[in-house]
Amino acid sequence: MDILSVALPALGSAAGLILQPVVLGYLVLGVVMGLCVGVFPGLGGIAGLSLLLPFMFGMDPVLGLALMIGMVAVVPTSDTFASVLMGIPGSSASQATVLDGFPMAKKGEAARALSAAFASSLFGGLVGAAFLTLFILVARPIVLEFRTPELLMITVFGLSMVGILAGRVALKGIVAAGLGMMVGTIGEGDSSGELRMASYDLPYLVDGLKLVIVGLGIFAIPEIVALLRQDRAISERSVLGGGWMRGVRDWLANAWLSVRCSIIGVVVGVIPGLGGSVVDWIAYGHTVQTTKDKSRFGSGEVRGVIGPESSNNAKEGGGLVPTLLFGIPGSGSMAIFIGAIALLGSGNIEVGPSMLKNNLDITYAIVWLLALANVVGTLICIGASGGIARLTTIPFSLLAPFLFMIIAFAAFQSGQDLMDLVALFVIGFLGIMMRRFDWSRPAFLIGFVLSNPAETYANQAVQIAQSRFRKGFAEGIDYIFSPIVIVLIIITLISVVVGLRQAKTIMAEGAVKSGRKLAPMIFLLAVLAYLVVSFVDASLIPDYAAADRVFPRFVSGVAIVGALILLVQMIVRPESHALFADRDAGGDREDVHGLWPTLAWFAGLLILTALLGFIIALALFLFAFIYHRAGRPAGYAAAYTGAGIVFMCFMAWLLNRDFPPGLLQSFVDLPWPLT
Amino acid sequence: MNLKTILRRAALGLVMAVSATLAMSGMAASQGIDLKGKTVEWVIPFSETGGSAKWANFYAPLLSEALPGNPTVVVKFMPGAGSTKGANWFQGQSYKDGTLIFGSSGSTQFPYLLGDPRVRYEYNDWNVVLASGTGGVAYLPPDLAGMMNGLDASGLKGTDFIYGSQGATRLDLVPLLAWEMLGLSVEPVFGIKGRGDGRLMFERGEANIDYQTSSSYLKGVTPLVEAGTAVPMMSWGALDASGNIVRDPTFPDMPTFKEVCDATPGCETSGEKWDAWKAFFVAGFPAQKMVFLPAGAPDAAIATYSEAFEAVKARSDFAEISMGRLGVYPQMTGDEATGALASATKVPDSAKEFVVDWLLERYGVSL
C-alpha cells in the first residue's frame, strides 16, 4: 500500500509540527478567542474567523492554523452556553440543543445539561478528527459519487425532519416549513434572476434574507421578549445546580447514541453546501426516533442535548473534508478558512487536491490540531462555566438590553444596512407570533435554510436528467436512481412515517394551553394571505424564466392547501382543541408586562437608529430602559449605558466594523463611532 | 486588510506582547496627499470568499506600506446583487480626503455594458488607479478532447454539452458565446454559486465542459490535467500592445480561442459575432479588476495612489509573491490603467446590440 507508506511518515511529521510549546500556545489563544465569540448568541465561527483573518498574512502556517483551528473547534462547544442558559441558539449548530437544554436549565439542571453537552461535544470532536484521519485517504472517490440527485435527496432528507418537529398538529408544522421555504425564496432567483416577493426599488430584498437575521429573529427575539415580559431571572432556581458528574454519567449511559450522532455529524458535514444548519436537527430527529419514552422531549430530556451536541462538533471534522480535499467550503466559516490559508506563509499552501499531494503533513497537522483543540476547549468551558452561568441569575430586564444590543449588532453585520434591523424586527415579530400560537419554529427555520439548496438542486437535477434522458432512457434512470439515491429515499420515507407518528408526543416548546378561537385564526389568515400573495407573485414570472417560478409556486401551493385545511378544521373544532394553542390565553399569566409595550421599546430603538444612528440611539435606549423599565436609579442606568456603549465600540473597533447610520449622519459629519 | 495596524489594534486588546514587533516606519512624501494616521477603506462589492476578496487582500498590506504616511488599509465587503449594490453605493460617494477606494470586477462591468436597469453607476465619473488583468481556460474530459482534430473542434458538434453556469449575463457570457461560435451545443445549468462549483460538477461527470479563470485553473484544474481527468481545450488569450489576441503568457503552450476558431469550419474570426465576442472578452478579462477613487478626486490624490501601486509593482519580490496569487498578468497603472478602463467599459454599440439580442433569443433574458 503506497498510501500507507506516504501517510505514516506524514502522520509522524505532523505530530512533530504541532507538539511545540509555541504552537500549543497559539492553539490555546485561539480557543479562548473562540470561546468569547461562541458565548455571544449569533456570533459564530464566521465572525470569529473574520476576526482572525487580518492576522494571517505572512504568518507561519502552523501557528496560523493552530489559531484558526482552536477557534473553529471551540465555537460549537461554547455556543452551548447560550443555548442552555439563555434559550438562544449560540450559533446555527446548536439550534436543537435549545429544545431540551433550556428546559433543563429552567428546572435548575443547567450543570447537568452543560456537562452532558460538553462531554458529547468533546467526544464528537474526537470522533470527527479520527474519522477525518481515515477519510482523507479514502474520501475522494466517495465524495465524488455525490452528484446533484444525491445532494437533492440529502436536502429532502433534511426537510423530512420537519415531520418530527412539527408538534401536536402536524399540518401546522408543514405549513410552517412551507412558510419558511417561501421566505427563503425571497429575492433574485438563482436560475434566471427573476425577483420573487421583491422589487428593485427595495434593493435589500433582492439578495434575500440572511440566515443570521432569520435565526436571531425566529429564535432569539421571541425568547428575549417572553422572558422580558415575565421580568425575572432566566433560571428559577440556584445558578447551575449540582450534577456535573450526573451529566457525564448521562453521557456515558448514552454513549452509543453519542457515537451514532457523531457519525451523523461527520457524514453530513462532509457534504458540501449543507453546512451545519441541518446537522443538529437530523441528530435530534434521530435521537427522538430511537428513544423509547418520548414524552420528555422538549421539557428537559438529556438525550435531546447529547444527540445534537455530539453531532455539531463532529461536523467540523467532516466539514474539513471537502474544504481540504476539494477546496470547496462546506460552510460559511470554512469559506473564510480557505481564504485564510491562502494568506498563510508566502501563499504557497492552497487547499484542494494539491494539498494532499504536497502538504500531507500540514493536512494531518490540521486534523490533530482539531482533536487537541476540542480537548482544550472542553476543559476551558468547564472551568469557566461557573462564571458564565452566573449570567442566568441576573434579572432579565438588566440582561435583555445587552442581549438585544449584541443581536442588533450581529444582525447589522450581515448586510451593513439599516434594513437588517428592520428585517430583524419583522422576522422577530413573526417568531413571537409563531411561539405564541405554537407553530413549530424549528420547522420554519429548516424550511428557510433548505429552501435554496432544494430549489437549486431540484432545478439542476431536472435539467441534467432531461439531457441524459435525451441520450437514452437507461442513462437517465441510472442518473436519477443511483444506489445512494435509493438508499436515501428509503431512509427519508422511514423517517417521515416514524416522525409523524411520534411528533404528537413531543412538546418541542413545552405544553401550551388552548385559548379562544379568534387570535389563532387571525394569525392563520395572515399566514395564508402571505402564501397566496407569494403564489400570485411567483405565477407572474414569465415563461422564459420558468425555472424561478416552479419551486415557489409548488411550495406555496402545498402550504396554501395545508393552511386551508387548517382553516376548515378551526371552524369545525371546539375551542379546547390543540389547534387553538395560545400562550397568551388563560388566567394564570406569568407575564407582568404586555407584549405591545415590550415591543414598543424595541421599535423605539429601531426608529431612533433610523434618525440618530445606532450608537446615539443605543445610548438613549439603554438609559431609558434601565431607568424606566428595570427601575434602577439614574446613576446606575448611566453606568450601565456607558459600559454597554464602550463594549459595543470595542467589539466594532476590533472587528473593524461600522454601525448603522441614521438621518442625522446624512446631514452632519460625525467622528467614529457615531458615523 | 492592513496586517500591521490590525495586528496592532487587536494586540492592544488581546496580546500586548505582539505590539512590540510592530513599530511603524514610514516617510511622508513631499508632494501628493499624506495619509498619515488615517484609515483607507477599500470597498469590495463582493463577499469575503470570492476572487476579488483575494485580490484586495493581496494588495491591501502592500498598498499600506507604499502609501505616504502608511495609513491603515482595510478591506470592506459590501456584497449584493452581483456587485451592483456596492457600485451604486460608490457612485453616491464623493471625494473627501482620499481614504475611500473601490474595487470593481468583470461582474461590475458587464451589467454596465449591457444597460442593466439596476445599474445607477457611471464608470466615467470615477478615477482609475490600478487595473489588473486575468485570463481564462476552457477544458474538456479526455474522451471528448480526443474528438477534436488538432485545433479543429468540428468533431465535437454532435455532443450534448452540459455546463454549470452562474448566469448568462455575467462573465459566463464569454465562454457561452465562444462555444456557440464553434458550433457546440452547450446547455448551461444555472444556479451555481461560484466557478468552483462548476469545476466540482465537471469532476462529478455531470458537466462535460467547463472554464475557469487563470488562478482557479492553476489551482483546481492543473491537478486534474496531471491526473488525466481533464484536458485543456483553449485559453481566451491575452491582448498585445496593439490590441490583438495572442497566447496567454501564463499558458504559452495552449492554443487561444482565436486559433481554434480559425481552424474550425464555420467559425469566423471576423464579422459581427466575433467582434461582439472580442469586445466582451476585452471588457471582462484583460482589465478584470480595477481600483477607483471616487468622483471629484484631485490630481494629487490620483497621482499618490498611482505612485503607490507603481511602488508595489516595483518591489523586488513582487513577481514572486504575485505569481501564486494573481498569475502572470499585467498590473496596470497611470495611462495604461486609463487605457484599460476605456477598453473595458466601452463596447461598440453593434457588439452590445448583438449580445442583447443573443441573450434574449438564446436565454430569454431581456435587458
Side-chain angles (χ1 to χ4, degrees):
Chain A
M1 289 279 284
D2 71 338
I3 290 177
L4 284 181
S5 67
V6 178
L8 287 178
L11 281 172
S13 66
L17 278 177
I18 60 171
L19 291 175
Q20 304 170 44
V22 58
V23 176
L24 298 178
Y26 270 84
L27 185 72
V28 172
L29 183 66
V31 168
V32 171
M33 291 165 78
L35 188 64
C36 297
V37 170
V39 164
F40 289 115
L43 297 176
I46 297 181
L49 280 174
S50 317
L51 174 73
L52 287 180
L53 208 51
F55 292 83
M56 290 301 144
F57 182 76
M59 200 167 178
D60 181 81
V62 179
L63 296 184
L65 285 172
L67 203 57
M68 286 192 294
I69 301 269
M71 169 161 274
V72 172
V74 81
V75 165
T77 310
S78 62
D79 63 9
T80 311
F81 282 116
S83 305
V84 170
L85 297 178
M86 304 178 204
I88 301 165
S91 70
S92 64
S94 59
Q95 292 154 356
T97 312
V98 175
L99 297 188
D100 281 297
F102 188 48
M104 284 180 79
K106 280 191 195 157
K107 287 195 291 187
E109 290 185 330
R112 183 181 165 204
L114 285 176
S115 62
F118 292 152
S120 311
S121 276
L122 173 61
F123 182 74
L126 293 177
V127 168
F131 184 81
L132 191 53
T133 307
L134 292 175
F135 209 65
I136 281 178
L137 296 174
V138 294
R140 201 179 152 72
I142 296 179
V143 175
L144 282 178
E145 283 299 308
F146 268 82
R147 300 189 291 189
T148 310
E150 286 83 358
L151 292 170
L152 177 62
M153 269 321 296
I154 284 279
T155 312
V156 172
F157 177 54
L159 278 173
S160 77
M161 289 301 147
V162 166
I164 196 100
L165 294 160
R168 285 183 294 174
V169 184
L171 209 49
K172 265 161 98 176
I174 291 166
V175 176
L179 184 64
M181 291 174 91
M182 288 313 294
V183 172
T185 62
I186 289 176
E188 216 171 26
D190 269 340
S191 292
S192 309
E194 282 296 314
L195 291 184
R196 282 94 60 105
M197 296 302 282
S199 137
Y200 288 126
D201 298 327
L202 236 179
Y204 183 80
L205 283 178
V206 171
D207 280 331
L209 294 166
K210 303 285 186 302
L211 175 62
V212 181
I213 301 218
V214 175
L216 289 172
I218 286 289
F219 277 98
I221 290 193
E223 295 305 332
I224 293 178
V225 169
L227 284 165
L228 204 49
R229 290 175 62 192
Q230 295 169 13
D231 204 5
R232 53 182 165 75
I234 296 171
S235 181
E236 287 166 37
R237 293 208 213 151
S238 61
V239 192
L240 281 176
W244 282 102
M245 285 318 293
R246 201 166 151 217
V248 177
R249 279 201 301 276
D250 284 331
W251 170 76
L252 258 182
N254 293 298
W256 182 228
L257 172 73
S258 186
V259 171
R260 291 195 311 262
C261 288
S262 302
I263 292 171
I264 290 176
V266 173
V267 172
V268 176
V270 164
I271 300 157
L274 281 180
S277 312
V278 258
V279 74
D280 50 338
W281 294 121
I282 295 181
Y284 189 79
H286 171 78
T287 307
V288 175
Q289 284 166 0
T290 54
T291 303
K292 284 203 192 75
D293 175 17
K294 299 174 175 65
S295 62
R296 293 180 356 101
F297 280 101
S299 54
E301 165 68 54
V302 75
R303 282 170 67 91
V305 174
I306 291 171
E309 285 297 315
S310 302
S311 72
N312 69 13
N313 245 26
K315 172 209 82 194
E316 298 299 328
L320 276 171
V321 170
T323 310
L324 295 178
L325 268 59
F326 313 117
I328 299 291
S331 63
S333 54
M334 283 299 122
I336 298 177
F337 185 73
I338 290 177
I341 285 186
L343 297 175
L344 284 173
S346 47
N348 49 17
I349 302 177
E350 274 185 348
V351 291
S354 64
M355 181 151 175
L356 291 185
K357 212 159 62 183
N358 307 328
N359 306 97
L360 196 61
D361 52 345
I362 299 264
T363 313
Y364 273 115
I366 291 175
V367 178
W368 296 121
L369 282 168
L370 183 68
L372 212 55
N374 270 299
V375 176
V376 175
T378 307
L379 292 177
I380 295 182
C381 279
I382 291 173
S385 58
I388 294 169
R390 229 162 271 144
L391 288 174
T392 54
T393 55
I394 300 171
F396 202 73
S397 56
L398 291 183
L399 207 53
F402 182 78
L403 287 177
F404 206 81
M405 173 176 93
I406 299 269
I407 287 172
F409 179 68
F412 177 69
Q413 295 321 314
S414 71
Q416 307 270 318
D417 194 326
L418 185 65
M419 283 297 289
D420 286 327
L421 298 184
V422 177
L424 180 71
F425 189 82
V426 172
I427 299 281
F429 184 71
L430 175 67
I432 290 169
M433 287 301 135
M434 289 182 76
R435 183 181 183 277
R436 173 174 169 183
F437 298 119
D438 201 30
W439 286 60
S440 172
R441 288 180 290 159
F444 178 90
L445 195 64
I446 290 183
F448 176 79
V449 169
L450 294 181
S451 171
N452 185 289
E455 175 172 18
T456 308
Y457 292 143
N459 277 337
Q460 292 180 352
V462 166
Q463 205 180 343
I464 297 172
Q466 278 170 348
S467 157
R468 299 280 168 121
F469 274 115
R470 276 201 294 274
K471 279 185 212 168
F473 185 73
E475 197 168 333
I477 290 290
D478 271 357
Y479 175 71
I480 300 176
F481 293 107
S482 74
I484 301 177
V485 169
I486 293 171
V487 169
L488 285 171
I489 289 176
I490 294 169
I491 297 177
T492 306
L493 287 178
I494 295 173
S495 152
V496 168
V497 172
V498 175
L500 282 178
R501 204 187 298 160
Q502 293 166 351
K504 291 189 176 60
T505 56
I506 306 161
M507 306 285 182
E509 301 181 43
V512 182
K513 282 192 202 63
S514 294
R516 307 242 330 271
K517 271 193 176 188
L518 185 63
M521 246 172 141
I522 291 175
F523 181 67
L524 176 70
L525 285 172
V527 169
L528 184 60
Y530 178 82
L531 289 170
V532 169
V533 170
S534 49
F535 180 85
V536 172
D537 178 79
S539 302
L540 294 177
I541 292 175
D543 272 340
Y544 65 78
D548 284 341
R549 181 178 67 195
V550 176
F551 183 80
R553 252 212 323 196
F554 174 75
V555 172
S556 58
V558 170
I560 287 171
V561 170
L564 285 174
I565 298 176
L566 274 179
L567 192 64
V568 173
Q569 286 182 346
M570 279 198 175
I571 294 168
V572 176
R573 300 266 161 84
E575 279 186 356
S576 57
H577 194 268
L579 270 174
F580 302 104
D582 185 347
R583 275 173 209 272
D584 277 10
D588 52 338
R589 292 271 296 276
E590 292 172 332
D591 305 334
V592 285
H593 299 283
L595 171 64
W596 301 109
T598 308
L599 269 183
W601 277 102
F602 299 118
L605 175 62
L606 190 64
I607 292 164
L608 279 178
T609 304
L611 293 175
L612 304 173
F614 187 61
I615 285 291
I616 298 174
L618 187 68
L620 294 173
F621 168 76
L622 287 178
F623 185 85
F625 193 94
I626 299 297
Y627 185 71
H628 282 292
R629 181 72 181 254
R632 306 281 155 159
Y636 186 98
Y640 186 104
T641 306
I645 298 286
V646 166
F647 176 82
M648 201 74 279
C649 293
F650 177 75
M651 288 284 291
W653 175 69
L654 209 59
L655 288 160
N656 218 324
R657 301 290 184 164
D658 285 338
F659 297 108
L663 260 184
L664 176 69
Q665 276 75 6
S666 56
F667 293 114
V668 194
D669 270 336
L670 292 169
W672 194 90
L674 302 176
T675 44
Chain B
M1 283 189 213
N2 181 303
L3 165 78
K4 283 194 177 174
T5 317
I6 302 291
L7 247 184
R8 189 168 47 97
R9 275 186 178 197
L12 281 171
L14 292 168
V15 269
M16 293 300 277
V18 180
S19 62
T21 61
L22 297 165
M24 296 290 268
S25 63
M27 296 199 308
S30 53
Q31 61 209 31
I33 55 169
D34 186 7
L35 295 162
K36 196 172 179 60
K38 295 193 172 145
T39 300
V40 173
E41 286 186 6
W42 186 347
V43 175
I44 294 293
F46 299 95
S47 76
E48 285 91 340
T49 55
S52 288
K54 266 188 171 174
W55 166 75
N57 280 330
F58 168 77
Y59 267 115
L62 305 173
L63 181 61
S64 169
E65 276 179 45
L67 278 172
N70 302 103
T72 313
V73 178
V74 295
V75 180
K76 292 221 164 169
F77 299 99
M78 194 184 282
S83 85
T84 309
K85 179 180 158 192
N88 284 342
W89 173 86
F90 184 69
Q91 182 68 30
Q93 306 300 308
S94 53
Y95 178 87
K96 288 198 190 84
D97 53 359
T99 56
L100 175 68
I101 54 177
F102 180 76
S104 79
S105 176
S107 309
T108 326
Q109 271 137 243
F110 275 28
Y112 172 82
L113 289 175
L114 292 169
D116 188 307
R118 281 170 286 172
V119 169
R120 316 233 163 100
Y121 49 89
E122 174 52 58
Y123 271 96
N124 294 327
D125 293 348
W126 304 345
N127 303 287
V128 67
V129 289
L130 175 78
S132 297
T134 186
V137 178
Y139 56 98
L140 294 165
D143 55 326
L144 292 176
M147 287 158 71
M148 277 180 72
N149 179 14
L151 293 178
D152 181 355
S154 12
L156 297 171
K157 275 182 186 161
T159 310
D160 278 334
F161 284 100
I162 292 272
Y163 166 65
S165 169
Q166 285 168 280
T169 59
R170 308 282 157 90
L171 276 176
D172 283 356
L173 192 158
V174 170
L176 285 171
L177 187 52
W179 290 326
E180 187 179 281
M181 288 166 71
L182 291 173
L184 311 189
S185 71
V186 176
E187 188 176 348
V189 172
F190 294 119
I192 64 163
K193 298 288 186 294
R195 290 256 37 93
D197 290 347
R199 190 193 82 223
L200 204 64
M201 216 179 221
F202 179 89
E203 284 192 61
R204 292 195 301 251
E206 288 181 301
N208 51 6
I209 194 163
D210 193 37
Y211 110 91
Q212 298 286 330
T213 54
S214 299
S215 56
S216 317
Y217 180 85
L218 289 171
K219 187 176 113 186
V221 185
T222 308
L224 303 180
V225 173
E226 283 164 7
T229 53
V231 176
M233 180 189 185
M234 59 197 176
S235 77
W236 304 139
L239 285 187
D240 70 4
S242 44
N244 299 311
I245 289 184
V246 294
R247 286 204 171 185
D248 188 324
T250 313
F251 308 103
D253 302 328
M254 242 178 249
T256 63
F257 167 56
K258 191 177 182 204
E259 293 170 56
V260 174
C261 186
D262 270 331
T264 306
C267 186
E268 302 285 339
T269 53
S270 59
E272 189 189 31
K273 215 169 184 180
W274 168 261
D275 290 341
W277 181 84
K278 189 176 170 188
F280 277 86
F281 161 71
V282 170
F285 289 89
Q288 190 175 68
K289 300 190 194 305
M290 291 184 262
V291 179
F292 292 97
L293 283 166
D299 290 345
I302 298 170
T304 304
Y305 272 94
S306 295
E307 279 160 25
F309 277 114
E310 268 156 36
V312 171
K313 276 163 59 185
R315 286 169 67 112
S316 56
D317 59 349
F318 185 77
E320 187 198 336
I321 56 177
S322 68
M323 189 156 80
R325 298 175 63 187
L326 304 177
V328 189
Y329 290 101
Q331 309 293 325
M332 293 162 278
T333 48
D335 290 344
E336 260 191 317
T338 316
L341 170 67
S343 63
T345 53
K346 285 191 189 81
V347 292
D349 285 345
S350 57
K352 182 186 156 183
E353 268 167 40
F354 177 86
V355 167
V356 168
D357 289 347
W358 178 72
L359 285 171
L360 181 64
E361 180 196 332
R362 188 80 174 67
Y363 301 108
V365 181
S366 61
L367 286 164

